[in-house]
Amino acid sequence: MASVTLRRNLCHLSEFWIHGAALKNQPINHVCKIVKEHLCSWFCSQKPELFRVTVHHACYKMFHSQNGNDLQPVGEPVYAQVRHWERLEQSLKNEDEQIFNRKLNSFTSSEEVLSFLSALETLPDTMAAGALRRICELETKDAQRLPKEILENSLFKALCFQFEKKPAPLSNTSLVTALQSLILLHVDSQSTLLQNLVAECQNRLQRGSLEVHHLCTLGESLIRLQGPDCVTLELILCQLQDEKLETFTSEDIVALYRILQACAEKVDQHQTFLNKINNFSLSMVSNLSATSISQILAALVALDQTQALPLVIKLGRQVVGLIAHFTNEELGRVLEAFMYFGHNDRLFTKALEQHVTALCLTLDPEVVSRVMEYCGRKLILSKPIFNAVAEMFVCQSEKFSPPQVSKLIEPFGKLNYLPPNASALFRKLENMLFTHFSYFPPKTLLKLLHSCSLIERHPVNFMAKIFSPFFLQQLQGEELYLDRLSLARLTQLYLTSILECPFYKGTKLLSKFQVKSFLTPCCSLETPMDFHLYKQVMFGLIDLLGARLYFASKVLTPYCYTIDVEIKLDEEGFVLPSTVDEDVYKRVALCIDGPKRFCPNSNHLLGKEAIKQRHLQLIGYEVVQIPYHEVEMLKSRLELVEYLQRKLFSQRTGVHW
């Protein structure tokens, strides 16, 4: 096994020499003490043998003494417990590498790693690569590039010099690990160091001497260095496809997903291979960490793997038990994937409730807005989540960006829910709009204000601005026409200003920006009738009223709303034929509300249905709600007729038909 002789390299490289200044300020006695304690038990278990420490150069003694360590005289016998490790290179075992790696992982800064290495005389290549990897992990958390003091550190230069000059003797693991670490540390891609390592990797790749793990690591490294279009990457993927998936570890599978994600535009070329990976991954889900799960889900989204729903569902179940272990960014990826694939699970919702309520004040605003967006998309009315988020927004509203504010508030309107602190919530929102109105993108602002109107928090102070020609021009942008949904929202807001805010005397919405109907196939502000439920009610009404001509279906009103069933009454309470327009004294609007008009698994109307019923009442209709959950409890047609009679005529003793 090749090894990195740190001090010897330092002696050969005069340009790396800093006369002890860099290391003099970094005490290592405490590090050496801990290292001795960790390794002493293994050394003592070996047969005590005497060996000599050979000083190869005069400058070696100066280097060693400047760090406060006196050299043993040549020829003096010492035991293996001392810090000189030349015999370690020859007798190292796997358990010793594990001890070394555990020690590396305990360090919290690159300086500690380098101080630790300064106590070593020789270092096997796998350990040298491990040290580089640990420096990479520590330095890429907060900074994009390696600090100057690390780059100029003589020990760090010695490590790099060994990899640069002698890459051929390195093991496969050491080679690809060193390349990966140096790329992540943003070492100059044109440097001799990286070019030599890449060339050696390509030689071994062409010889077919790299194993699965090495291929995955090399693939990710080359993507970072040369981009997803590099020719070598195709060769790596070809070799990986020839390998048996049973030989892949869970880490290899996750890395493979990341590689394919980087080549998302070529997904069609690799779809057969992807299908095999998706099926094989089902057996590995239980072994995946929170980080791995979030990365796989992100890759499935980028690769549009809608056919991999069994894998998404199984990953979703695993997420439930690991939700406390996700970082804010990872949880955001999970939520984005669940929204993309339409995944919704009761156990996940419960776990999410516990997570959000426990940590809401410490969660990242982006994650909070994602949680609310997820609830809004899947129509999940979770009062614990909504209440906790409302409380957080009141306390920390300044942390949220305009798009995040919109994602946070919209679900309240969509799901027709007011939290206990609604007054404080919307007062805080109004203050933010007053001070940052111009920072909100036009369409985002329109969605936000429309959501407020759904739950009777009417944005009266901002209506004049959004109905103004200047705002409408901004809303349209460079498009020839405003999109249908934006026009519908504007129209409903304008209708709200007329019906629910009669005191509003500001700018009015021009007729060319108003729609004729809120019920459209692609972007509707109303939910279409449930056809099966409508048929049941229709037959019951025919039995009750005596003929089909006494009621009309899908009636469009002058106020853009479509009524499911309309019944007309004269002044004496007689039911009139639907075609008669004279002598109409009262109009009854039957709202035949199927499951899609309610929050799932509840009897809570959605916001767009609640505002519709309010507005129908304000324009003179008597609204009668026929919810599906009441109709489902009826066991016969006779019960249905009696139910409709109670709903329609129980308070009108003088009604006739």
Side-chain angles (χ1 to χ4, degrees):
M1 179 184 290
S3 63
V4 178
T5 309
L6 297 180
R7 296 191 179 91
R8 190 176 303 174
N9 285 337
L10 288 170
C11 297
H12 285 305
L13 300 172
S14 59
E15 65 270 29
F16 291 161
W17 193 255
I18 314 179
H19 299 292
L23 295 175
K24 211 170 186 181
N25 297 325
Q26 301 172 6
I28 61 169
N29 293 334
H30 68 289
V31 179
C32 295
K33 181 180 179 182
I34 297 173
V35 175
K36 285 183 186 179
E37 292 172 357
H38 277 80
L39 298 180
C40 184
S41 58
W42 179 82
F43 278 117
C44 291
S45 66
Q46 309 300 313
K47 181 178 179 180
E49 296 181 8
L50 302 181
F51 67 93
R52 298 180 183 274
V53 177
T54 305
V55 182
H56 300 285
H57 299 279
C59 64
Y60 169 79
K61 182 174 181 180
M62 179 182 68
F63 176 86
H64 207 140
S65 62
Q66 283 180 341
N67 283 278
N69 303 308
D70 295 330
L71 289 172
Q72 294 288 339
V74 176
E76 181 177 335
V78 290
Y79 289 98
Q81 292 96 317
V82 299
R83 65 176 61 90
H84 307 299
W85 291 6
E86 286 196 352
R87 295 192 65 84
L88 180 62
E89 182 181 6
Q90 301 171 4
S91 59
L92 194 67
K93 297 181 180 179
N94 287 337
E95 59 186 277
D96 308 307
E97 277 194 41
Q98 294 172 3
I99 293 174
F100 180 85
N101 289 329
R102 281 201 300 271
K103 184 60 191 169
L104 282 180
N105 291 333
S106 69
F107 296 133
T108 58
S109 69
S110 299
E111 288 78 7
E112 289 184 7
V113 175
L114 293 172
S115 294
F116 172 62
L117 296 181
S118 70
L120 314 183
E121 190 159 324
T122 58
L123 194 61
D125 61 352
T126 55
M127 290 188 174
L132 269 182
R133 183 182 63 243
R134 184 55 184 160
I135 292 173
C136 169
E137 292 170 351
L138 292 169
E139 293 299 337
T140 54
K141 285 182 180 178
D142 303 316
Q144 292 297 317
R145 294 188 176 277
L146 202 59
K148 184 178 179 181
E149 56 270 20
I150 301 298
L151 282 171
E152 295 181 351
N153 186 284
S154 53
L155 283 173
F156 181 77
K157 289 182 177 181
L159 282 175
C160 295
F161 179 78
Q162 185 71 18
F163 289 126
E164 177 183 345
K165 295 302 180 184
K166 297 181 180 180
L170 297 174
S171 67
N172 288 338
T173 300
S174 302
L175 180 65
V176 297
T177 302
L179 177 64
Q180 180 189 47
S181 301
L182 291 168
I183 290 173
L184 289 173
L185 289 170
H186 297 278
V187 173
D188 183 9
S189 60
Q190 301 302 316
S191 65
T192 307
L193 170 61
L194 276 187
Q195 289 179 355
N196 288 352
L197 290 176
V198 169
E200 181 61 28
C201 286
Q202 290 173 335
N203 290 336
R204 298 187 192 188
L205 177 65
Q206 292 170 354
R207 294 198 304 266
S209 60
L210 297 179
E211 298 177 2
V212 167
H213 181 69
H214 307 136
L215 290 171
C216 291
T217 305
L218 177 59
E220 287 196 277
S221 300
L222 291 178
I223 288 171
R224 286 180 176 273
L225 187 65
Q226 301 174 0
D229 296 326
C230 67
V231 179
T232 308
L233 188 60
E234 285 300 320
L235 180 58
I236 291 172
L237 287 172
C238 287
Q239 289 194 20
L240 285 171
Q241 291 182 47
D242 293 336
E243 300 286 344
K244 293 183 179 180
L245 287 177
E246 290 75 14
T247 63
F248 286 59
T249 64
S250 57
E251 291 79 8
D252 297 333
I253 291 292
V254 177
L256 189 49
Y257 271 115
R258 291 195 298 262
I259 291 172
L260 291 170
Q261 180 182 358
C263 308
E265 67 280 356
K266 302 178 183 178
V267 64
D268 292 339
Q269 301 175 23
H270 307 295
Q271 189 57 59
T272 303
F273 186 38
L274 254 174
N275 292 338
K276 293 180 181 179
I277 299 169
N278 293 337
N279 292 331
F280 177 74
S281 299
L282 287 167
S283 62
M284 307 186 72
V285 169
S286 58
N287 299 324
L288 295 175
S289 66
T291 300
S292 297
I293 290 174
S294 72
Q295 290 176 351
I296 290 178
L297 285 171
L300 292 175
V301 170
L303 297 167
D304 190 29
Q305 296 298 288
T306 52
Q307 72 277 16
L309 284 180
L311 177 58
V312 174
I313 292 170
K314 196 164 185 178
L315 288 169
R317 292 172 184 165
Q318 191 71 5
V319 165
V320 173
L322 296 173
I323 194 165
H325 300 280
F326 288 99
T327 65
N328 287 329
E329 184 180 358
E330 290 167 354
L331 182 56
R333 288 198 211 110
V334 170
L335 292 168
E336 182 180 359
F338 285 176
M339 287 187 281
Y340 185 85
F341 292 108
H343 178 69
N344 183 17
D345 181 78
R346 181 178 55 84
L347 294 177
F348 173 70
T349 300
K350 187 175 181 180
L352 191 62
E353 286 177 347
Q354 295 173 348
H355 184 68
V356 171
T357 53
L359 302 174
C360 191
L361 293 177
T362 61
L363 287 176
D364 184 74
E366 180 61 25
V367 173
V368 174
S369 64
R370 280 290 176 85
V371 169
M372 292 300 288
E373 184 182 14
Y374 171 73
C375 290
R377 289 265 196 97
K378 304 307 299 175
L379 302 180
I380 300 171
L381 178 56
S382 169
K383 293 182 180 180
I385 291 177
F386 279 47
N387 293 344
V389 169
E391 194 66 38
M392 179 190 180
F393 182 74
V394 170
C395 297
Q396 304 176 1
S397 60
E398 68 282 351
K399 293 183 178 180
F400 290 85
S401 67
Q404 289 170 349
V405 172
S406 181
K407 290 179 183 178
L408 186 149
I409 297 295
E410 283 174 35
F412 286 98
K414 189 173 186 178
L415 302 180
N416 187 29
Y417 179 70
L418 286 172
N421 66 338
S423 298
L425 173 67
F426 287 96
R427 186 165 54 249
K428 185 69 73 171
L429 175 62
E430 186 175 33
N431 291 336
M432 176 175 280
L433 288 172
F434 271 126
T435 55
H436 298 95
F437 187 88
S438 59
Y439 293 96
F440 283 81
K443 288 191 177 181
T444 299
L445 182 63
L446 178 59
K447 285 195 294 183
L448 174 59
L449 297 180
H450 178 260
S451 299
C452 294
S453 71
L454 296 179
I455 43 178
E456 300 183 84
R457 290 303 185 266
H458 307 303
V460 181
N461 293 326
F462 306 100
M463 284 182 177
K465 289 185 177 181
I466 63 173
F467 296 154
S468 69
F470 175 72
F471 180 81
L472 295 172
Q473 187 177 7
Q474 284 186 313
L475 191 63
Q476 183 173 331
E478 297 181 359
E479 301 295 327
L480 293 176
Y481 302 99
L482 262 178
D483 63 278
R484 174 81 187 184
L485 186 56
S486 294
L487 289 174
R489 285 172 174 150
L490 283 168
T491 305
Q492 195 166 51
L493 273 171
Y494 180 57
L495 192 58
T496 298
S497 72
I498 296 171
L499 298 176
E500 299 191 72
C501 310
F503 51 85
Y504 172 72
K505 304 300 180 184
T507 306
K508 300 185 182 303
L509 182 66
L510 297 174
S511 58
K512 68 176 182 178
F513 294 105
Q514 298 179 32
V515 297
K516 301 299 182 183
S517 173
F518 292 138
L519 184 60
T520 53
C522 59
C523 45
S524 180
L525 294 186
E526 297 183 63
T527 307
M529 271 193 301
D530 182 284
F531 182 70
H532 177 69
L533 180 61
Y534 167 70
K535 283 183 65 176
Q536 283 184 276
V537 174
M538 182 185 69
F539 289 130
L541 285 172
I542 291 173
D543 290 346
L544 177 64
L545 301 178
R548 175 68 179 81
L549 63 89
Y550 287 109
F551 63 91
S553 302
K554 298 182 180 178
V555 178
L556 178 62
T557 71
Y559 290 85
C560 310
Y561 291 108
T562 300
I563 298 173
D564 299 332
V565 172
E566 182 187 59
I567 299 174
K568 299 174 182 178
L569 304 174
D570 66 10
E571 192 170 0
E572 295 180 5
F574 283 95
V575 178
L576 300 172
S578 61
T579 55
V580 173
D581 290 326
E582 295 97 6
D583 302 323
V584 176
Y585 177 76
K586 192 75 173 178
R587 296 175 187 266
V588 179
L590 267 67
C591 294
I592 303 175
D593 296 329
K596 292 185 178 180
R597 294 184 179 180
F598 296 89
C599 296
N601 305 315
S602 75
N603 302 333
H604 192 85
L605 271 179
L606 295 176
K608 62 182 178 180
E609 302 304 324
I611 193 174
K612 174 182 176 179
Q613 294 186 15
R614 286 201 316 270
H615 285 183
L616 288 177
Q617 288 176 335
L618 289 170
I619 63 178
Y621 278 92
E622 181 177 332
V623 176
V624 176
Q625 190 181 6
I626 309 292
Y628 78 98
H629 50 84
E630 291 182 1
V631 176
E632 285 180 347
M633 296 178 66
L634 305 175
K635 299 179 182 179
S636 67
R637 193 154 169 174
L638 178 60
E639 287 187 11
L640 175 60
V641 172
E642 292 174 348
Y643 167 80
L644 290 172
Q645 184 176 13
R646 289 194 304 272
K647 279 282 188 176
L648 289 168
F649 306 125
S650 62
Q651 298 177 357
R652 298 190 197 86
T653 56
V655 170
H656 307 279
W657 62 90

